Amino acid sequence: MEYVIDLLKILLPAGVVLYGMYLVIVSFISKEREKMLVDLKTQNTQVVLPIRLQAAERLSLLLERITPNNLVRRTNTGGMTASELHALLLHEVREEFSHNFSQQVYFTEETWEAVKRAIEEVTTIINLSRQNLDKEASGMDLAKSIFAQSLERKNDAIAYALRQVKSEISIYF
């Protein structure tokens, strides 16, 4: 019995010391892990922030380029029929969108949906403008019709999408 008591006198303090060491090591590892996570987030921010800013620039440029007024001015070379200009405008909108499609990974779903709605709105304006004209209409007639539709709708979808992009980027500043 005395042997067991002597053994407990040795094992209990050793157990307490081992448990204390365990707590110190776990605490140290936890703090080191937190420090590594903070460092990783800092490095990630340094790399990702410029890419996100570039993505915001590209989306802003996309939205500005597909604004009906800018789109028509850029693509209408004169002497085109309404059908030719209509096809060219739709092609330009699709090309701009597909060229910037990968930018969605840098934005929230809400912002990307706003961009898609803006694209759809421009496509609708172009299509409605074409439907209001006869088959022999000139490209200039289509351009005037697009300008009228654009003024009527006030490009709210494009303005909203631009505000979404800007508000999402403003978080970082």
Side-chain angles (χ1 to χ4, degrees):
M1 182 71 161
E2 201 173 296
Y3 178 73
V4 172
I5 293 175
D6 287 340
L7 187 61
L8 284 176
K9 286 180 185 177
I10 295 172
L11 287 180
L12 281 176
V16 170
V17 169
L18 283 175
Y19 182 69
M21 289 297 290
Y22 169 77
L23 291 177
V24 168
I25 290 173
V26 166
S27 174
F28 176 75
I29 290 174
S30 175
K31 287 181 183 179
E32 283 297 313
R33 185 170 184 250
E34 287 177 23
K35 182 180 174 185
M36 287 176 57
L37 286 174
V38 168
D39 289 343
L40 183 64
K41 285 182 182 181
T42 302
Q43 290 173 354
N44 191 21
T45 301
Q46 291 173 351
V47 172
V48 172
L49 183 60
I51 294 171
R52 287 197 74 177
L53 289 174
Q54 186 180 30
E57 290 172 0
R58 288 184 65 178
L59 277 187
S60 298
L61 183 62
L62 162 72
L63 292 167
E64 288 297 328
R65 287 177 62 91
I66 66 160
T67 301
N69 295 344
N70 293 337
L71 187 63
V72 169
R73 287 186 186 131
R74 195 175 65 251
T75 57
N76 191 7
T77 58
M80 297 175 80
T81 66
S83 297
E84 292 170 339
L85 182 58
H86 177 257
L88 182 60
L89 291 172
L90 290 179
H91 176 73
E92 283 291 318
V93 170
R94 286 185 195 112
E95 283 295 313
E96 287 287 339
F97 183 65
S98 66
H99 183 69
N100 291 289
F101 193 74
S102 64
Q103 304 310 313
Q104 68 179 308
V105 299
Y106 299 109
F107 293 94
T108 62
E109 187 68 28
E110 182 180 348
T111 299
W112 186 248
E113 286 298 319
V115 170
K116 287 186 349 187
R117 278 191 302 275
I119 299 288
E120 291 168 3
E121 177 75 15
V122 170
T123 304
T124 301
I125 289 172
I126 293 169
N127 288 332
L128 284 176
S129 298
R130 177 65 184 116
Q131 287 176 356
N132 294 337
L133 300 175
D134 59 356
K135 294 191 185 256
E136 290 79 32
S138 69
M140 193 58 76
D141 294 333
L142 178 61
K144 288 177 186 176
S145 181
I146 288 172
F147 290 147
Q149 283 282 338
S150 179
L151 285 174
E152 187 178 302
R153 291 178 175 255
K154 299 178 185 174
N155 293 330
D156 288 337
I158 292 175
Y160 177 73
L162 274 170
R163 281 194 306 272
Q164 284 293 110
V165 170
K166 289 176 184 177
S167 70
E168 202 164 314
I169 291 301
S170 69
I171 293 170
Y172 298 104
F173 298 107

